[in-house]
Amino acid sequence: RKQAAHDHLCWSGFFYTRSEWTTMNEHGFEFGAYTDFGTLRAAIVGSAEGLALPPFNPTLHHYNDEVQAALKASGDRPLEIFKAMPERWEKTVAQLDSLAALYEKNGIQVYRPRPYSNEESEYLAELQPGASLLYPADPVYTVGKHYIEVNIRRAYRRKEVFPLRDVVAPLLAADADTRHVVMPPAQPFMPSSGGPGPYLEGGDIICYKNHLFVGESDIATNRAGTEWLRDYIEPYGYTVHPMPMKGTVLHLLGTMVLVREGVLLLFRDELDCELPAPLRDWDVIELSEDEARAYATVGVSLDDKRYVMPSHLGRVGEELSRRGVEPIEIDYDHVSYWGGCVSCSTHAIARDP
């Protein structure tokens, strides 16, 4: 916790000097994210630099058939995408850049993670080699003034916190009210996605005011992760709502998204629970499995009137329009080819309450 009365500010083992602390960062936004459809002011957008997918194992079933076949063919070494699929890699880079440009056009401050150092690239390689910076929404989560480094089940992705930490450190230092929290590390286990964790993934967390809805399954966040989040965040006035899932979709954000007050998109068949009480009376746009698999819920709200989503989801866009939300469709098929979509590659670090 920051100690404003001292010459150094520290929390959870991270220190910044008073000279780095100002009341507002140089870009004029205040660090902190609240309801998921609050006006977006600043975000980190992912990068394809150094993308290397891990050797195949059965827990990687969220990848499409073509990617799974390529992983099997690569044997016990990571699949370096720039070398193995250069055209696909270039198009992935272009779509990430286009998303960043769209945000900037709408007045949103955009940050990009730096590449891994050599040492970081080898972090936890004995559990699972590989590297990715595509989806910065998963390894961390910002809620209110709390920046939380969480635990992804797949060990090759746990290193993502290091480049992201370099992005946010000066922003946290510029605001005396922020807290930088690191979740206890997951217990080492083989395969790396097994064991007790605790596991908590940003893609499983949805925020509405002081409510956090947390998806749970055997392939991402587990109950131990949810309980850790509850123990940490509830003293600050939040309520955590576990939402068990069937595990055919990787994250809760692949099943549900809140797009404005009282309106949500939902692929109900994936849930192994009822909607929590704060959402029970909302207007639900029900999705088919095909629409969910096309990432209808994995978009990003610029505010409560505009929702960025992948193209070719005509019916969903029409339903949103009827409810006063403008669908902003973008081509994102090359980024989503790797198993995530718009919200996965966007980590919101500043949203209006």
Side-chain angles (χ1 to χ4, degrees):
R1 187 173 179 178
K2 293 186 177 180
Q3 303 295 317
H6 293 77
D7 288 336
H8 289 80
L9 310 176
C10 90
W11 64 101
S12 299
F14 298 94
F15 289 81
Y16 302 98
T17 64
R18 176 178 287 277
S19 63
E20 295 173 301
W21 177 22
T22 60
T23 56
M24 181 69 73
N25 66 61
E26 62 185 284
H27 299 290
F29 64 83
E30 186 174 342
F31 187 95
Y34 304 89
T35 296
D36 284 1
F37 50 78
T39 300
L40 184 61
R41 304 294 183 186
I44 303 171
V45 172
S47 167
E49 291 298 321
L51 180 61
L53 300 184
F56 179 80
N57 72 63
T59 70
L60 299 175
H61 57 75
H62 61 289
Y63 288 128
N64 63 51
D65 291 343
E66 186 178 3
V67 172
Q68 289 191 41
L71 296 181
K72 291 174 183 177
S74 71
D76 60 358
R77 297 189 59 80
L79 184 69
E80 296 182 67
I81 303 305
F82 176 75
K83 296 178 181 178
M85 303 179 181
E87 184 176 355
R88 176 76 69 175
W89 184 87
E90 293 282 357
K91 291 178 178 178
T92 299
V93 170
Q95 288 187 344
L96 286 166
D97 290 346
S98 293
L99 178 65
L102 184 153
Y103 289 152
E104 289 173 335
K105 181 180 178 181
N106 283 276
I108 298 162
Q109 176 66 40
V110 173
Y111 298 87
R112 309 295 293 273
R114 62 165 173 78
Y116 288 114
S117 68
N118 291 334
E119 293 83 0
E120 288 167 347
S121 295
E122 295 302 314
Y123 181 69
L124 298 182
E126 69 280 6
L127 292 179
Q128 188 178 44
S132 176
L133 289 166
L134 283 180
Y135 304 131
D138 294 334
V140 295
Y141 191 74
T142 297
V143 54
K145 295 285 191 177
H146 306 262
Y147 179 78
I148 307 172
E149 297 180 9
V150 296
N151 289 336
I152 295 184
R153 273 188 184 262
R154 288 156 189 83
Y156 86 99
R157 294 199 57 196
R158 294 178 203 161
K159 61 175 70 74
E160 294 172 37
V161 297
F162 303 125
L164 298 176
R165 189 182 293 171
D166 280 358
V167 172
V168 301
L171 303 174
L172 298 173
D175 188 331
D177 295 325
T178 57
R179 290 173 173 84
H180 185 171
V181 182
V182 178
M183 189 175 180
Q187 181 176 323
F189 200 86
M190 292 297 287
S192 70
S193 58
Y199 297 119
L200 180 66
E201 306 198 2
D204 272 323
I205 308 172
I206 292 174
C207 182
Y208 171 63
K209 297 182 178 178
N210 64 333
H211 297 281
L212 292 175
F213 309 103
V214 184
E216 299 176 334
S217 69
D218 292 334
I219 59 174
T221 298
N222 66 1
R223 180 54 59 92
T226 305
E227 291 299 331
W228 177 86
L229 179 63
R230 172 181 278 146
D231 289 345
Y232 170 70
I233 202 68
E234 288 200 343
Y236 295 98
Y238 290 87
T239 300
V240 172
H241 303 266
M243 293 186 63
M245 299 165 58
K246 296 175 183 176
T248 65
V249 175
L250 184 59
H251 289 135
L252 182 60
L253 274 169
T255 300
M256 181 175 80
V257 64
L258 317 182
V259 293
R260 62 169 297 176
E261 184 71 32
V263 179
L264 62 86
L265 302 175
L266 179 67
F267 174 46
R268 197 180 295 270
D269 288 352
E270 171 58 20
L271 294 183
D272 208 13
C273 63
E274 298 296 321
L275 282 176
L279 303 177
R280 207 157 287 162
D281 295 330
W282 282 38
D283 180 7
V284 177
I285 301 173
E286 302 279 356
L287 300 177
S288 68
E289 181 174 357
D290 286 346
E291 289 167 335
R293 300 287 178 192
Y295 300 106
T297 62
V298 196
V300 167
S301 291
L302 301 184
D303 51 37
D304 64 355
K305 295 180 177 62
R306 296 174 296 167
Y307 178 68
V308 180
M309 59 186 283
S311 56
H312 309 300
L313 283 162
R315 186 193 74 87
V316 178
E318 291 170 4
E319 295 288 348
L320 290 171
S321 295
R322 278 199 282 270
R323 291 161 175 85
V325 177
E326 177 192 355
I328 300 174
E329 296 189 24
I330 63 171
D331 291 332
Y332 219 59
D333 53 318
H334 294 289
V335 179
S336 64
Y337 179 85
W338 311 109
C341 203
V342 182
S343 68
C344 305
S345 49
T346 306
H347 177 64
I349 56 175
R351 277 193 186 275
D352 290 355

